Amino acid sequence: MQTCRSFRRIAERAQPFLGVNISEYAVSSGLSAVGPLLVETLLARHSKPHEFVAYHPGPDVRHFNIRDYSLSLLSSCCGLLTKLDVRGCEALTEDGFIPLFSRCPHLSHVYTDSTKLTDEAVRTLCETTRTLCVFSARRCRLLTGAALEYLTAQPHASALEALDLGDTLIEGAAFSLLSRCHRLQYLSTQWCADAILSARDAAGNPSWLQLRSAILSGVHCITAKVLSDLVHVSPGLAVLNIRHCGNVHDEALRILASSSVRLEELNAEFIPATEDGWRDLLSSPVMLHIKRLNMKGCKVQAVQLLPALECFRELQQLFLGSSMESVSPTIEERLQRNQWPDLLVLMVGQRILYGASHVHSGPIDCTGAVMEGTVVLHTQQRRRRRRRNHVRAAPQGSGARTHLSANSHE
């Protein structure tokens, strides 16, 4: 009842909103789902929002019941809309998207994961806006290669900075069009098993010079040759997810080890590489600044790899396979000596050696910052930094210092 009254007060406000963030209000109010009528009331009363957000990322992901009629209402007042986030709104179809996209010339950030987005809706979006730089359509199963044709045509090919087409049914050969996008910083084609990727365009020129995050889980074409092109064309690569890539063997890891990239995140869960390849990679300068490392499912023994792991002073998340459980006592000893001062979670097999049990312990989500990712621990890191800053700023002997130090273990 209190939540409904709060929504009514908001809807009756005279001032227009610049942004309609349904998810933020609903989560802070303890509301698990927002009724479409409440959404439509807000949109009917307030004009020209710059943002419309109906998705709440984080450990408790919320999806909201937004309908096509809600987008049609938004289309009547969306002349200044720059960001649309309707991830998880599975009822949305092209009947809602096309009228909205046709009236939004300033859209730059579009997130439509798990909706019924179609090629025709993507065509309308690309014909209307000239400022599209972030586009996410993960699990949009109605898209085909035609959507990629629209997205990689000019001027979008020169503007796109982040693109997520993971877990779609787009034909594998169509992914070669991504080589037209020279400004990509984030790319995800995860679980598109037949995707054909190339870091060079049709003329053989390097394409992805600015790429920082490559999420390639489950893509069969990731071999030593493809990885070699990727790391040499993209020297700024910091996040690499090759989880379940069955063609990544020792040769591929050695190529990665000999490159000039400096990885911060590596998810190599269940790749077939052996100890020899891992030893070369972990002892290379490529891994010197690694913060998040996932080796679960890799059949290697930690006895020989542990000395290399000890050198990763910036490590924050470490997931090791069950084959390394024999050295758990040695790892616990390193933890007592504060070997990894920034460590937040460490798992060996299914056992948590360090970190709270509610911390996300599955495969590392290597979603780049430009995609406004949902890594749970990012929030914890920010809180820790804020607490440290408050402690430094607090006067000596103050109550604030005492309170913060008492909660420093959080």
Side-chain angles (χ1 to χ4, degrees):
M1 182 64 68
Q2 182 60 37
T3 300
C4 294
R5 290 172 181 168
S6 300
F7 262 112
R8 183 175 179 178
R9 286 197 297 270
I10 292 175
E12 291 175 351
R13 282 182 50 178
Q15 300 88 351
F17 285 120
L18 294 180
V20 180
N21 192 326
I22 303 300
S23 63
E24 182 177 336
Y25 180 79
V27 172
S28 64
S29 303
L31 195 63
S32 60
V34 177
L37 291 178
L38 293 174
V39 176
E40 291 153 11
T41 301
L42 288 174
L43 293 177
R45 295 291 185 92
H46 303 289
S47 61
K48 301 188 185 309
H50 291 185
E51 297 184 357
F52 182 82
V53 179
Y55 172 81
H56 178 70
D60 187 14
V61 175
R62 307 288 180 91
H63 304 296
F64 299 92
N65 187 21
I66 305 300
R67 306 181 302 187
D68 286 337
Y69 180 62
S70 301
L71 292 191
S72 66
L73 282 177
L74 182 61
S75 66
S76 65
C77 61
C78 65
L80 300 178
L81 195 69
T82 61
K83 177 180 178 179
L84 175 72
D85 190 343
V86 290
R87 284 176 282 185
C89 299
E90 298 178 353
L92 291 179
T93 69
E94 65 176 18
D95 294 337
F97 283 121
I98 291 178
L100 176 66
F101 289 158
S102 64
R103 296 180 176 89
C104 295
H106 304 294
L107 269 178
S108 60
H109 293 65
V110 177
Y111 306 86
T112 61
D113 303 2
S114 300
T115 63
K116 295 180 177 64
L117 186 73
T118 62
D119 295 341
E120 186 64 21
V122 174
R123 183 184 68 82
T124 304
L125 172 66
C126 293
E127 289 179 350
T128 305
T129 183
R130 294 294 183 269
T131 58
L132 187 65
C133 62
V134 175
F135 182 77
S136 178
R138 189 185 304 179
R139 293 183 297 276
C140 291
R141 305 291 174 77
L142 299 181
L143 296 181
T144 69
L148 265 178
E149 285 279 2
Y150 304 136
L151 289 168
T152 57
Q154 294 296 346
H156 309 295
S158 300
L160 271 175
E161 298 178 2
L163 183 62
D164 188 345
L165 296 173
D167 205 4
T168 59
L169 300 179
I170 296 175
E171 309 90 272
F175 283 94
S176 61
L177 297 172
L178 295 177
S179 60
R180 300 176 181 175
C181 303
H182 293 270
R183 294 189 60 189
L184 275 181
Q185 299 179 32
Y186 175 94
L187 174 63
S188 173
T189 60
Q190 59 182 341
W191 309 123
C192 298
D194 299 324
I196 298 176
L197 301 175
S198 175
R200 300 180 183 273
D201 59 22
N205 300 315
S207 296
W208 301 333
L209 295 173
Q210 302 181 36
L211 192 68
R212 287 190 51 81
S213 299
I215 315 303
L216 311 174
S217 311
V219 178
H220 296 329
C221 81
I222 304 302
T223 60
K225 182 180 183 303
V226 173
L227 202 57
S228 175
D229 272 350
L230 179 64
V231 297
H232 287 97
V233 166
S234 309
L237 189 68
V239 176
L240 179 62
N241 189 328
I242 49 176
R243 176 179 176 234
H244 285 281
C245 291
N247 293 314
V248 177
H249 299 279
D250 291 348
E251 181 186 358
L253 293 190
R254 291 191 181 101
I255 288 173
L256 183 59
S258 63
S259 68
S260 60
V261 301
R262 295 294 181 266
L263 291 180
E264 296 179 8
E265 300 185 15
L266 174 62
N267 189 336
E269 189 175 356
F270 290 102
I271 64 170
T274 66
E275 278 185 15
D276 294 336
W278 273 111
R279 189 186 308 109
D280 292 340
L281 176 60
L282 295 179
S283 58
S284 69
V286 169
M287 305 290 286
L288 193 59
H289 301 290
I290 195 73
K291 294 180 174 63
R292 287 169 281 277
L293 175 62
N294 189 340
M295 297 173 60
K296 293 181 71 173
C298 298
K299 297 180 180 180
V300 295
Q301 297 296 326
V303 176
Q304 300 179 11
L305 302 181
L306 192 56
L309 294 174
E310 290 177 354
C311 299
F312 302 155
R313 300 293 294 173
E314 301 178 27
L315 201 60
Q316 297 173 5
Q317 300 178 41
L318 178 60
F319 299 101
L320 303 175
S322 56
S323 61
M324 301 186 181
E325 290 181 349
S326 60
V327 294
S328 293
T330 307
I331 295 177
E332 290 176 338
E333 178 187 345
R334 302 297 192 276
L335 289 172
Q336 293 176 359
R337 289 162 38 190
N338 198 24
Q339 188 72 39
W340 301 290
D342 295 329
L343 193 66
L344 295 174
V345 59
L346 191 154
M347 284 191 66
V348 179
Q350 299 300 317
R351 182 185 176 197
I352 299 176
L353 295 186
Y354 184 83
S357 58
H358 66 274
V359 173
H360 171 68
S361 59
I364 299 174
D365 185 355
C366 295
T367 309
V370 71
M371 290 295 291
E372 300 180 0
T374 60
V375 178
V376 176
L377 298 177
H378 286 180
T379 303
Q380 297 183 359
Q381 293 164 19
R382 287 194 293 268
R383 288 173 179 169
R384 289 178 61 182
R385 284 195 295 270
R386 283 199 296 267
R387 280 199 291 268
R388 285 198 294 266
N389 292 337
H390 285 312
V391 169
R392 295 191 189 103
Q396 185 68 27
S398 67
R401 175 181 292 273
T402 303
H403 174 73
L404 288 169
S405 61
N407 292 278
S408 59
H409 65 280
E410 294 180 2

